[in-house]
Amino acid sequence: MAALVIAEHEGGTLKGGTPNAVTAASKMGGEVHVLVAGSNARAAAESASKLAGVKKVIHVAGGQYDGGLAENYAALIVPMASAYSHVVASASAFGKNVMPRVAALLDVAQVSEIIAVESPDTFVRPIYAGNAFATVQSADKIKVVTVRSTGFDAAAQGGSAPIEDAAAGPDKRQSKVLSQELTRSARPELASARRIVSGGRGLGSADNFRIVEALADKLNAAIGASRAAVDSGYVPNDYQVGQTGKIVAPELYIAVGISGAIQHLAGMKDSKVIVAINKDPEAPIFQVADYGLVGDLFTLVPELTAKI
């Protein structure tokens, strides 16, 4: 019994959810191997080899894997899968793109977004926007699993796994990446930030988001937003936190002018400390908040920023 973790990486660095997927895979029993594929993936492979619990890293050099094309990744993974009991990836956009195709080609049922491992064939996953948890058991010979990174700690450093080079799979040429537009910011990445300040529709305009930015800068925090704020055009959609946005669990989450719709709570309620600032004392966000400030955010947030 062994698990194959599909690494997500960029610029020679492992993406945030991969170490968490390694932790989840280590709970499934047996050895943990990591697959790192791409034209410039050697540095990421070396990083994966240093993760605690990893017994082997499989490095595949090939430009057809750049951009995370599901067709090419699946053509590489499926022949390898027969040697493993589990194929695991983070439930990121990358994992959600690749793993369903892998599961379909293996003719197995994917187990999605798990937050706990009870045994090698039994997993816990959230349903109904995180308001209930389902314990699911897979009878498939090969379990294809995606992992919600907020449910597992990232694997620690300290490993020294060997790196094995493997042949690339075919380039299916069914799709191609035409271009990528990367958002560059001096602030931490939202999905992996230790602190997040999020704004909602209560801010009223894109210009008013500057008070959220000022507070975030003081805290060295990432900036998030509710779907209502994104739909209103206050911020880009890559700021969105929630069921249809990013799932986060920082040490500190400050919600400014966010009422707390169930879809937003599903994306942030696992945060360690939640602070809510809202003028409505009955706002649902206060039901999950550890600390609440009831009042005018245009007064409270600048005061809070000044005191910090």
Side-chain angles (χ1 to χ4, degrees), residues 238-302:
D238 55 344
Y239 282 31
Q240 185 178 327
V241 173
Q243 187 178 14
T244 54
K246 291 181 171 67
I247 308 296
V248 298
E251 294 175 7
L252 174 64
Y253 188 90
I254 301 179
V256 179
I258 295 175
S259 62
I262 188 172
Q263 292 85 356
H264 186 77
L265 299 184
M268 46 65 70
K269 66 181 182 181
D270 290 330
S271 304
K272 305 300 185 291
V273 176
I274 299 171
V275 178
I277 302 174
N278 200 293
K279 67 181 181 181
D280 179 8
E282 302 300 322
I285 191 72
F286 288 119
Q287 296 177 12
V288 300
D290 299 288
Y291 301 94
L293 282 172
V294 178
D296 183 354
L297 67 87
F298 297 105
T299 300
L300 293 174
V301 175

Side-chain angles (χ1 to χ4, degrees), residues 173-287:
R173 301 184 184 278
Q174 292 175 287
S175 62
K176 62 181 178 180
V177 177
L178 294 178
S179 65
Q180 287 183 310
E181 186 175 332
L182 302 179
T183 301
R184 299 196 179 277
S185 173
R187 298 188 180 94
E189 183 186 5
L190 179 58
S192 58
R194 295 174 58 195
R195 306 182 189 98
I196 296 173
V197 182
S198 279
R201 184 159 42 195
L203 284 156
S205 71
D207 287 342
N208 289 337
F209 237 85
R210 285 180 292 189
I211 67 172
V212 170
E213 294 172 354
L215 178 56
D217 289 342
K218 279 289 188 76
L219 293 169
N220 190 28
I223 292 179
S226 67
R227 178 169 181 171
V230 170
D231 287 350
S232 298
Y234 300 168
V235 288
N237 67 344
D238 55 344
Y239 282 31
Q240 185 178 327
V241 173
Q243 187 178 14
T244 54
K246 291 181 171 67
I247 308 296
V248 298
E251 294 175 7
L252 174 64
Y253 188 90
I254 301 179
V256 179
I258 295 175
S259 62
I262 188 172
Q263 292 85 356
H264 186 77
L265 299 184
M268 46 65 70
K269 66 181 182 181
D270 290 330
S271 304
K272 305 300 185 291
V273 176
I274 299 171
V275 178
I277 302 174
N278 200 293
K279 67 181 181 181
D280 179 8
E282 302 300 322
I285 191 72
F286 288 119
Q287 296 177 12

Side-chain angles (χ1 to χ4, degrees), residues 89-168:
S90 171
S92 61
F94 168 81
K96 290 176 179 178
N97 184 33
V98 172
M99 298 299 271
R101 181 174 288 270
V102 172
L105 292 172
L106 291 173
D107 195 23
V108 300
Q110 178 176 305
V111 183
S112 303
E113 298 204 39
I114 68 166
I115 59 170
V117 178
E118 293 199 345
S119 71
D121 65 353
T122 306
F123 312 94
V124 179
R125 61 182 303 270
I127 58 175
Y128 301 127
N131 285 290
F133 299 95
T135 300
V136 296
Q137 186 175 42
S138 171
D140 291 319
K141 182 178 179 181
I142 302 172
K143 281 77 173 170
V144 176
V145 181
T146 60
V147 175
R148 183 172 286 192
S149 59
T150 56
F152 299 88
D153 293 332
Q157 297 291 306
S160 57
I163 300 175
E164 177 183 293
D165 291 318

